[in-house]
Amino acid sequence: MEILDPSTGEPLPPDTIQRVLFLANAVHVYNIPPLPSTRGHSASAWTADPSRHIFTARLRILETSTGDDDGDDESNTDENSLKVDVVLEDPSTAALFAASPYTSPASVEPVVDSSRFFAVTVRDPRGRKAVLGIGFEERSEAFDFGVALQEARRALGWEGGRTGPGNQKVSDAKKVEDKDYSLKEGETITVNIGSKGLGSRRAHAAPPPEESSGNLQSFALPPPPGSSSSGGGSGGFSLPPPPSAEDVKRKRRSAQELGFDDGQFGEFA
């Protein structure tokens, strides 16, 4: 079966592959007024006037791929080998009514006041163009139409990094090398607030004995009171010397003179 170019009706090479991305059997076609502003097209301006309705067409989105003559070397593929067309046809005879080469996202634009209507730029074989309005009866069909156009943009290389006509190949994303941020054995994380060493990492090591003994000096107890006067030296915990025999006799005589003790049961000194 001979494959025809959907936009011109001319026969294509025999190695051409064509597939249908979307099909709707009943799409209303409108003769729309010129765009009044940069805000966008409004479907209410078409449907309010019944005379603007042209007819009900069959709509297809066709993807056409033409292979190169060599067929082996992918790098020699003609950059114009892939294209997408939005085709409006007579639902009874399949005769071509109008075709819109999908050369940019602006070729099919949604309206500002409805999700079921679109403005389509169609072209004839001579290159002349016109803007027609199309409307779907069901929102689900309009949604599927938008999804098919998104798939067409990916196939043409406008989205998703694939190679399309007139576009350079998008390089693959660089693989990010995985880094191990886990703590190694013996490592700790030190956070110094207010200094440049915030979040530094260093290996855990025990302090030398000299440094440890020096730090403990700040926790030393003060010497007991009276130790310096007893001749035991400062900074120590030595007990005072025991009283001499002469001191004991002197204290005993003083207690007996005051009448507290007769010396029989011990001393209270």
Side-chain angles (χ1 to χ4, degrees):
M1 181 178 178
E2 189 178 35
I3 301 177
L4 302 179
D5 189 319
S7 59
T8 63
E10 297 295 329
L12 294 172
D15 59 348
T16 301
I17 299 175
Q18 198 171 69
R19 64 169 181 156
V20 179
L21 302 181
F22 176 78
L23 172 64
N25 291 317
V27 176
H28 299 284
V29 182
Y30 297 87
N31 176 18
I32 65 176
L35 187 65
S37 65
T38 58
R39 181 173 176 265
H41 292 277
S42 177
S44 60
W46 321 337
T47 56
D49 186 1
S51 63
R52 291 193 174 275
H53 183 270
I54 301 175
F55 81 120
T56 302
R58 183 179 71 176
L59 184 147
R60 290 193 300 165
I61 299 179
L62 295 178
E63 180 187 85
T64 305
S65 176
T66 305
D68 59 330
D69 295 334
D70 296 338
D72 296 331
D73 189 2
E74 185 179 354
S75 62
N76 292 330
T77 302
D78 186 4
E79 65 177 5
N80 295 322
S81 62
L82 182 68
K83 71 170 192 165
V84 176
D85 296 275
V86 179
V87 181
L88 297 173
E89 303 169 328
D90 189 319
S92 301
T93 63
L96 177 64
F97 172 73
S100 171
Y102 197 52
T103 56
S104 70
S107 299
V108 180
E109 294 181 321
V111 299
V112 297
D113 58 346
S114 177
S115 61
R116 296 187 295 114
F117 293 83
F118 299 84
V120 180
T121 301
V122 297
R123 297 178 183 271
D124 64 4
R126 298 182 181 180
R128 295 175 298 182
K129 65 179 182 179
V131 181
L132 299 177
I134 61 172
F136 295 89
E137 295 181 355
E138 302 292 336
R139 295 186 186 278
S140 57
E141 277 192 327
F143 176 80
D144 295 339
F145 177 70
V147 172
L149 290 177
Q150 184 179 18
E151 182 180 351
R153 289 193 294 271
R154 287 197 298 265
L156 293 170
W158 304 342
E159 296 179 3
R162 291 186 56 182
T163 304
N167 294 286
Q168 296 180 350
K169 291 185 178 180
V170 181
S171 59
D172 296 334
K174 296 181 180 179
K175 296 181 180 180
V176 180
E177 181 181 359
D178 294 335
K179 295 184 179 180
D180 184 12
Y181 294 100
S182 60
L183 293 177
K184 305 299 185 296
E185 184 177 358
E187 281 189 339
T188 58
I189 293 179
T190 303
V191 178
N192 298 324
I193 305 300
S195 65
K196 295 182 179 179
L198 182 63
S200 61
R201 176 183 292 186
R202 62 182 181 184
H204 179 72
E210 294 80 2
E211 183 180 354
S212 299
S213 60
N215 291 336
L216 292 176
Q217 290 181 358
S218 60
F219 297 94
L221 295 173
S227 60
S228 58
S229 59
S230 61
S234 61
F237 290 91
S238 59
L239 295 175
S244 61
E246 185 65 28
D247 293 335
V248 173
K249 291 180 181 180
R250 188 180 305 110
K251 291 180 180 180
R252 180 180 300 171
R253 285 196 299 270
S254 62
Q256 291 176 354
E257 291 173 357
L258 294 174
F260 288 103
D261 194 359
D262 57 1
Q264 182 179 358
F265 300 102
E267 302 125 2
F268 289 93

